[in-house]
Amino acid sequence: MSFVSPLFLWYFMPAVLLAVLVCPRTWRNGIVAVGSLLFYATGAGAFTLLLLTCMVVNFLAGPALEPDEWGMRPARRRRWTLVGVVAFDLSILVIWKYAGFATEQIAAFTQLLGGDFPVVELALPIGISFFTFHHISYVVDIYRGERRALRNPVAFGTYIAMFPQLAAGPIVRYREIADQLPQLRSHRLDDIAAGFPRFALGLCKKAIIADSLAPMVDACFATPSEEMTFSIAWLGAVAYTLQLFFDFSGYSDMAVGLGRMLGFRLPENFARPYASVTITEFWRRWHMSLSRWFRDYVYIPLGGNRGGARKTYRNLCIVFVLTGFWHGAAWTFLVWGAYHGALLIIERAFGWDRTPSATGPRIARRLLTLVLVIFGWVFFKSADLGSALTMLGHMFLPDFEGLTDLVDASLTNQRLVILLAALTMFALPAHPVTGPLLESSRSRPATALRVTVMTVGLAYAAILVATGTFSPFLYYQF
């Protein structure tokens, strides 16, 4: 079930919100947990059993990981329990997400030697990368003594399976939400009033902008290498840069808004990343929940930046290779992660990770950072490395041939207007961040935006959804 499907918008979401509103407050977690499993089952089918199995294992392991001041749980036993449950979580992710890729590489190598090796083909469960990271966050935070283990399976199911963030994030670390699970807010109408405009903003981003850009992006990236040109390559790369942001940040806005309507404060995931002046700043603004997860559970445990420059660079390399591979089992994602890791290392090595104080250099650095990010998205979107390198090669060879046919086929007047409107975001200041501003501010600009989103934007987005002109969220594939 997708947030932009009629089934969700017209039936599921109103039913869950109504149940939370009219039922006793103590029922909230139960309503959310049961509704979330139903939400997941409509799209994942039998994979719901895989999710439930992972939930059972991590829930049972939780109490055994808690520090014990009386020495009843020896540190060695707790440590090995943590290693075992994390290994279990990662093995589920590795088998279902990476077994096919690994066997493809082995098969290709053995074929060169004249042998034959079977390739494993497994369907990818929806949201497996996200709920695996939620489970790991849960057990590690308990092991570190940052939060107590949950004894109530309903509360645990609410955290892991909460439908706003189950399929595509944001990645909610356990310590960020542990204190909210037992709290039962009395101002439920206030939560709905605050969360719904944020949800509507995300729906508008997705249905009106991202889905309008999708046909143009697909046409550009599907252009055969012999027909690829400078203009097609740049149009596709820039349009995808915008599509991905409005699609994923739109999902995050919807998730944060839904969470608020249910009485939860989910973490922000975007803060105008394309306004970044450095790649370092970009990763503080893009998919922030993923960056924080890797910082807390991989980068810092590896030593962070405490062991000198060489170890810091090594740790950055490891984190961003894993970041790329987390997104998908393909060489394109691996190269994309390594590319960003290399840029971060270069910035640190030359001191370019600091924001210039003068306006001119700051604008130039912001433009350079945006171009570097766009180059990276070419790897992220391309079907294979050959296609990515072909497109990047043409982005350095100026010509204006081949654009007319593509424009006639995919760039309609409506899409052109939306593309130009989306491009204005590149010129917006870094702050304030639109989502939280829309949710909480009572300033005139925020009020005007809120009224526009809730009237014209929401009505138009609803029409698009009703006519079936929507597509799955891009991050559903991860």
Side-chain angles (χ1 to χ4, degrees):
M1 193 188 310
S2 172
F3 287 175
V4 290
S5 66
L7 176 62
F8 180 86
L9 291 173
W10 311 152
Y11 302 102
F12 181 83
M13 184 178 73
V16 172
L17 291 177
L18 181 63
V20 170
L21 188 62
V22 302
C23 291
R25 287 181 296 159
T26 54
W27 292 20
R28 182 198 62 172
N29 286 350
I31 293 170
V32 174
V34 173
S36 297
L37 291 175
L38 290 174
F39 172 87
Y40 189 77
T42 59
F47 284 125
T48 306
L49 296 175
L50 180 65
L51 171 62
L52 289 171
T53 300
C54 294
M55 290 171 63
V56 169
V57 170
N58 285 268
F59 176 73
L60 294 177
L65 293 167
E66 289 182 334
D68 182 14
E69 59 271 26
W70 291 285
M72 300 298 292
R73 302 187 192 99
R76 181 182 178 88
R77 183 184 301 173
R78 290 176 53 244
R79 185 167 57 250
W80 280 110
T81 301
L82 177 68
V83 170
V85 72
V86 171
F88 170 80
D89 291 330
L90 291 177
S91 67
I92 295 295
L93 181 63
V94 168
I95 290 171
W96 292 101
K97 190 166 184 174
Y98 303 107
F101 175 76
T103 54
E104 282 179 6
Q105 309 315 307
I106 296 172
F109 180 75
T110 54
Q111 190 174 12
L112 292 175
L113 302 177
D116 187 26
F117 191 87
V119 175
V120 175
E121 296 183 4
L122 296 174
L124 184 65
I126 297 172
I128 188 171
S129 298
F130 292 92
F131 68 70
T132 297
F133 273 22
H134 286 137
H135 281 128
I136 293 175
S137 171
Y138 175 74
V139 295
V140 172
D141 285 356
I142 294 171
Y143 176 80
R144 291 174 175 175
E146 296 178 354
R147 290 295 184 273
R148 300 280 297 181
L150 291 169
R151 266 66 177 183
N152 186 334
V154 174
F156 179 77
T158 301
Y159 164 53
I160 297 296
M162 187 189 301
F163 69 88
Q165 49 80 34
L166 177 58
I171 299 172
V172 184
R173 291 168 297 173
Y174 176 52
R175 64 175 177 264
E176 292 177 313
I177 202 170
D179 295 336
Q180 300 182 48
L181 292 170
Q183 292 178 2
L184 303 173
R185 295 171 62 86
S186 58
H187 303 293
R188 287 174 285 184
L189 282 175
D190 292 343
D191 285 331
I192 292 175
F196 190 74
R198 187 71 181 274
F199 176 85
L201 174 66
L203 179 62
C204 292
K205 283 183 175 181
K206 166 63 176 173
I208 299 175
I209 301 178
D211 284 352
S212 296
L213 297 175
M216 180 185 4
V217 171
D218 293 340
C220 289
F221 276 84
T223 302
S225 58
E226 63 274 10
E227 299 177 16
M228 182 65 69
T229 65
F230 173 83
S231 50
I232 292 175
W234 271 103
L235 177 62
V238 171
Y240 181 67
T241 299
L242 294 168
Q243 180 204 4
L244 184 61
F245 170 77
F246 283 102
D247 188 281
F248 193 22
S249 71
Y251 180 94
S252 296
D253 283 331
M254 296 173 82
V256 171
L258 281 167
R260 181 64 185 275
M261 286 190 278
L262 295 170
F264 296 100
R265 300 294 186 100
L266 301 184
E268 296 294 334
N269 217 16
F270 290 89
R272 296 230 180 116
Y274 295 149
S276 303
V277 179
T278 65
I279 295 296
T280 302
E281 183 184 358
F282 172 80
W283 279 103
R284 296 193 189 112
R285 294 171 171 266
W286 176 273
H287 205 345
M288 296 187 294
S289 63
L290 179 68
S291 299
R292 289 190 294 261
W293 195 97
F294 272 110
R295 179 197 66 195
D296 292 347
Y297 303 116
V298 180
Y299 182 69
I300 291 176
L302 285 173
N305 56 3
R306 299 188 302 273
R310 291 183 63 180
K311 288 187 177 179
T312 299
Y313 301 155
R314 179 205 66 186
N315 296 340
L316 285 172
C317 231
I318 292 172
V319 165
F320 276 88
V321 167
L322 291 176
T323 299
F325 220 38
W326 176 87
H327 281 85
W331 289 109
T332 50
F333 293 114
L334 195 61
V335 170
W336 171 78
Y339 167 78
H340 273 275
L343 291 177
L344 286 169
I345 290 171
I346 292 171
E347 283 190 349
R348 278 180 173 265
F350 291 93
W352 295 341
D353 55 336
R354 294 182 289 272
T355 302
S357 57
T359 302
R362 192 163 58 247
I363 293 175
R365 291 283 300 279
R366 179 174 172 178
L367 181 60
L368 174 61
T369 298
L370 178 60
V371 171
L372 291 173
V373 169
I374 291 173
F375 289 157
W377 289 141
V378 173
F379 287 106
F380 197 85
K381 170 64 176 174
S382 297
D384 52 61
L385 288 177
S387 301
L389 293 174
T390 297
M391 178 172 275
L392 286 170
H394 282 281
M395 292 172 75
F396 289 94
L397 299 173
D399 67 69
F400 296 95
E401 300 177 358
L403 186 61
T404 304
D405 293 338
L406 181 67
V407 168
D408 292 340
S410 65
L411 189 54
T412 63
N413 290 334
Q414 175 190 357
R415 291 171 187 158
L416 177 60
V417 170
I418 290 175
L419 175 63
L420 294 175
L423 282 169
T424 61
M425 71 162 293
F426 288 148
L428 293 174
H431 297 286
V433 179
T434 305
L437 178 72
L438 179 75
E439 186 176 326
S440 59
S441 175
R442 295 296 178 264
S443 66
R444 287 185 178 180
T447 301
L449 177 61
R450 190 180 298 110
V451 170
T452 303
V453 167
M454 295 294 291
T455 55
V456 179
L458 185 59
Y460 185 41
I463 291 171
L464 294 176
V465 171
T467 56
T469 54
F470 63 90
S471 61
F473 287 96
L474 296 175
Y475 261 65
Y476 272 13
Q477 63 184 297
F478 305 133

